[in-house]
Amino acid sequence: MTEKFSKTALKMKSNVIRELLKVTSKPGMISFGGGVPDPDTFPRFEMAEISKEVLEKEYKFTLQYGSTEGDPMLREEYISLLKRESGIEGLDVDNLLVTVGSQSALDLVGKIFLDDDSIYFVSKPVYLGAASAFALRSNGYVYMDLREDGVDLDEVENRLEEIASRGEINKVKFIYVIPNFHNPGGVTMSLEKRKRLVEIAEKYDVLIVEDDPYGDLRYEGDPIDPIFKIGGQNRVLLLRTFSKILSPGLRLGIVIGNKTIIRKMVMAKQASDLCTPSLTQRIAARYLQRHDLIAQLKPTIALYRDKRDLMLAELEKNFGDMKGFHWTKPDGGLFIWFTLPESFDTGEMLEMGKAENVLFVPGEAFSLDNTCKNSMRLSFCLPPREDIIEGVRRLKKIVVEYGKEKNIL
Ligand SMILES: *Cc1c(COP(=O)(O)O)cnc(C)c1O
């Protein structure tokens, strides 16, 4: 049968994180692997009330097919949210498309922009969901190293200049960035870099795809202007989602961009799924009308901040005096990127982790070329406090064991 599969299908690989989730449920397991929010933070009673009401009273909308563009009420509410939150103005409903999570938006971006000889820029490490959606269309990725204050823009400029000088600049379609609390990197792009990125993109006429699922989960510091606000809708396509702030089960992502791009994405989406579920869109719309989503996030933010602080303190306690061990200190989001000395292979260490009942995602899962092997992604949002302490202790144990075994510590 496999000989019938398309070339695209043959490029598809099973995702390491999905595989990991299978062992997460083993008794006694402490997992820093998952990228999912804490379900106890979801406003389930408010959503239950809204759900009953919109099913009974708005059934002609919620139980019916909807438009491909998405629920107009949700799009209106989202426009006002963007205005309140970030001061983004000048949008109307035709600038917005509601997708089945941001993952589907990433897939549509690949579909409408990438041919098999196209070039696009992604960070190293890269968000797996985006990388796999883009890589199915084209292998022409260019890496941007991730630094404390975002991707290395000198490198971006050099690479663009080089591509331009060989006459291929038209093949460059977009630069994909996660400016706030990067997944998996944990770092945030500075305002200076956001402005410079827009200038570079203007100079070479490439689009910026700004993926921002975590912007509202800020634990310290002041919010930084979205790149979309700096560069405008003709330069930046902004991807947002309800997954990390309301509930991933709703499967709702929002794409904000210029109308030509949105129209093309709508056509691409028609072939994929006709429309995003009317029911969950209307639940989210009514939720936004009745509750202040941002204010309601305060306890969630306090909870995650506390766990982040604890994990950072435990990492310091266990690895602080070990040479070559360092980790990012995220101002928000769900992830810490933990880097070990070069000779460590976190993929190999995962087997020891499974035996010792501690899970993490090996860095290699966030690379397109089997690199990042000496890093791992740690998520602090789900385990209870005592598990964070015990989990980091187990991590230390396997690091020491592995180091001794390989004679590298
Ligand atoms: C979680 C996440 C998404 C998408 O999640 P959806 O549930 O599909 O909306 C997109 N990008 C990044 C960087 C993420 O971490």
Side-chain angles (χ1 to χ4, degrees):
M1 200 59 218
T2 50
E3 71 278 5
K4 302 287 185 197
F5 285 140
S6 67
K7 292 190 184 89
T8 308
L10 294 174
K11 285 189 224 166
M12 293 170 183
K13 288 184 294 200
S14 148
N15 157 345
V16 187
I17 301 182
R18 297 270 161 279
E19 296 296 317
L20 258 187
L21 287 176
K22 290 183 198 158
V23 282
T24 313
S25 52
K26 184 182 155 200
M29 189 61 88
I30 295 175
S31 177
F32 299 143
V36 301
D38 183 342
D40 285 328
T41 66
F42 304 150
R44 60 187 186 280
F45 299 111
E46 291 86 343
M47 279 166 56
E49 196 176 304
I50 291 172
S51 302
K52 180 168 163 50
E53 188 185 315
V54 299
L55 276 168
E56 287 176 358
K57 300 202 182 123
E58 300 185 65
Y59 67 95
K60 287 186 181 167
F61 178 86
T62 55
L63 296 180
Q64 188 55 281
Y65 282 115
S67 70
T68 308
E69 291 81 353
D71 181 0
M73 188 188 287
L74 178 60
R75 286 183 289 156
E76 288 289 359
E77 286 302 322
Y78 211 85
I79 289 170
S80 77
L81 180 73
L82 286 169
K83 196 166 166 180
R84 273 200 314 278
E85 246 198 327
S86 311
I88 292 173
E89 310 232 23
L91 297 175
D92 66 53
V93 288
D94 296 332
N95 293 111
L96 274 71
L97 166 65
V98 187
T99 55
V100 181
S102 278
Q103 186 54 45
S104 152
L106 291 165
D107 191 46
L108 295 176
V109 164
K111 210 172 181 182
I112 70 163
F113 287 114
L114 299 179
D115 296 308
D116 56 12
D117 65 345
S118 295
I119 301 169
Y120 52 95
F121 283 62
V122 294
S123 64
K124 179 184 178 176
V126 64
Y127 172 60
L128 197 66
S132 46
F134 303 156
L136 282 184
R137 312 278 168 189
S138 161
N139 274 323
Y141 65 89
V142 177
Y143 265 147
M144 310 176 281
D145 273 327
L146 196 59
R147 309 262 185 251
E148 278 299 322
D149 59 348
V151 288
D152 182 347
L153 292 180
D154 292 336
E155 200 183 330
V156 172
E157 210 162 4
N158 288 341
R159 294 305 300 271
L160 281 167
E161 193 52 49
E162 187 191 301
I163 294 165
S165 70
R166 55 169 204 258
E168 296 196 332
I169 198 69
N170 288 336
K171 289 189 182 170
V172 182
K173 299 304 180 78
F174 57 78
I175 300 172
Y176 169 75
V177 289
I178 306 168
N180 293 314
F181 330 127
H182 189 280
N183 179 5
V187 298
T188 294
M189 191 187 286
S190 65
L191 180 62
E192 294 67 38
K193 276 202 172 172
R194 293 178 196 216
K195 289 179 180 162
R196 184 161 165 231
L197 176 61
V198 169
E199 284 166 18
I200 294 171
E202 295 275 352
K203 181 173 167 194
Y204 294 94
D205 194 22
V206 292
L207 185 73
I208 298 166
V209 177
E210 177 179 25
D211 189 5
D212 184 23
Y214 302 105
D216 295 314
L217 292 177
R218 178 176 273 283
Y219 314 139
E220 65 182 71
D222 292 322
I224 304 174
D225 276 346
I227 304 170
F228 185 89
K229 192 178 172 191
I230 301 166
Q233 51 171 272
N234 293 326
R235 187 55 56 198
V236 187
L237 189 68
L238 174 59
L239 270 47
R240 303 259 307 189
T241 172
F242 285 98
S243 288
K244 314 300 175 11
I245 53 170
L246 188 59
S247 144
L250 294 175
R251 303 308 300 129
L252 293 177
I254 311 269
V255 186
I256 304 112
N258 89 27
K259 293 180 185 176
T260 311
I261 296 177
I262 295 295
R263 262 203 308 275
K264 190 58 83 177
M265 287 182 89
V266 167
M267 291 173 208
K269 181 176 167 60
Q270 269 159 1
S272 302
D273 55 23
L274 293 181
C275 64
T276 303
S278 310
L279 177 59
T280 60
Q281 290 189 76
R282 186 50 60 91
I283 292 170
R286 292 285 181 209
Y287 187 89
L288 286 177
Q289 276 177 354
R290 288 172 205 182
H291 303 278
D292 183 341
L293 178 64
I294 303 308
Q296 292 233 3
L297 274 175
K298 280 192 180 144
T300 305
I301 286 173
L303 174 79
Y304 291 165
R305 180 194 293 124
D306 184 58
K307 293 187 181 190
R308 175 205 62 167
D309 289 346
L310 180 64
M311 186 175 271
L312 288 175
E314 291 305 311
L315 285 169
E316 185 59 39
K317 222 183 271 174
N318 285 279
F319 299 98
D321 57 358
M322 291 173 74
K323 208 169 157 268
F325 290 75
H326 52 94
W327 51 92
T328 55
K329 297 167 184 71
D331 287 335
L334 308 180
F335 307 110
I336 293 171
W337 185 246
F338 182 30
T339 300
L340 288 63
E342 289 273 346
S343 34
F344 280 81
D345 183 330
T346 54
E348 286 177 15
M349 289 169 62
L350 183 63
E351 289 312 311
M352 301 167 82
K354 285 179 190 168
E356 291 291 338
N357 278 347
V358 62
L359 296 180
F360 49 83
V361 186
E364 197 177 345
F366 306 99
S367 96
L368 289 160
D369 59 353
N370 305 325
T371 54
C372 302
K373 282 178 191 262
N374 60 320
S375 296
M376 63 174 73
R377 189 189 75 177
L378 301 174
S379 173
F380 49 80
C381 70
L382 216 44
R385 285 184 63 94
E386 58 278 15
D387 282 8
I388 291 179
I389 298 171
E390 175 58 21
V392 176
R393 208 191 56 76
R394 290 179 191 170
L395 216 50
K396 170 76 178 269
K397 189 171 173 227
I398 63 171
V399 162
V400 170
E401 227 171 89
Y402 183 87
K404 279 196 186 137
E405 205 172 278
K406 299 265 162 173
N407 227 346
I408 49 178
L409 204 65

